[in-house]
Amino acid sequence: MTTPIEPGRKTVPIRWRDLDGFNHVNNAVYLNYLEEGRDAWLANALGEGITQLTEFVVRHVSIDFISALTQEDGAALVKVEVESVGNSSITLRETVHASSDDRLCASARGVLVHTNVEHTESRPLPADLKLRLEASIAN
């Protein structure tokens, strides 16, 4: 039986520099929060010896903004789970929540592609990783 990869959770502190003129987290900063959550999830998903973190590139991200994050929320909680798996790609469902009350602040989809070292061509996912990812698909 293949062991599924657990959904990821990463807490990212809200820094003063993240805020815009309205004292909300700037919309562009959400990409940084998602990246931190995605990188932590991927490092955990890969484990040791499966493949390199640097063999994956982000090919697509879309974000729906739902509720503003502010400094008073303290931190953003990024949650990552597998939505689907292709031959060389992984589609992730990613959300950003306020750590203060778990309020949903943004919902995103990200697509990672497994590539060659030069990042010029996609490569098939390693078979064992693909099986683990497929066993992890969220409902």
Side-chain angles (χ1 to χ4, degrees), residues 33-125:
Y33 294 168
L34 291 168
E35 178 183 32
E36 288 194 43
R38 188 181 316 111
D39 284 353
W41 173 84
L42 186 57
N44 180 61
L46 295 178
E48 292 188 31
I50 295 176
T51 190
Q52 296 294 317
L53 185 67
T54 57
E55 293 176 7
F56 287 87
V57 295
V58 176
R59 291 287 192 221
H60 174 83
V61 175
S62 61
I63 306 172
D64 291 317
F65 299 99
I66 297 165
S67 177
L69 273 171
T70 67
Q71 188 82 55
E72 288 74 34
D73 289 310
L77 175 60
V78 181
K79 300 178 183 178
V80 179
E81 57 188 3
V82 178
E83 182 176 291
S84 64
V85 179
N87 288 326
S88 62
S89 65
I90 310 164
T91 301
L92 300 173
R93 189 177 309 149
E94 305 166 333
T95 55
V96 178
H97 300 256
S99 68
S100 59
D101 59 7
D102 203 36
R103 178 179 78 256
L104 179 62
C105 297
S107 177
R109 288 181 76 227
V111 178
L112 299 177
V113 174
H114 186 236
T115 67
N116 61 3
V117 176
E118 297 82 21
H119 305 297
T120 57
E121 296 179 3
S122 63
R123 289 188 349 189
L125 292 164

Side-chain angles (χ1 to χ4, degrees), residues 17-29:
R17 69 178 179 174
D18 295 347
L19 305 178
D20 61 19
F22 299 108
N23 287 323
H24 299 137
V25 170
N26 184 282
N27 60 324
V29 174

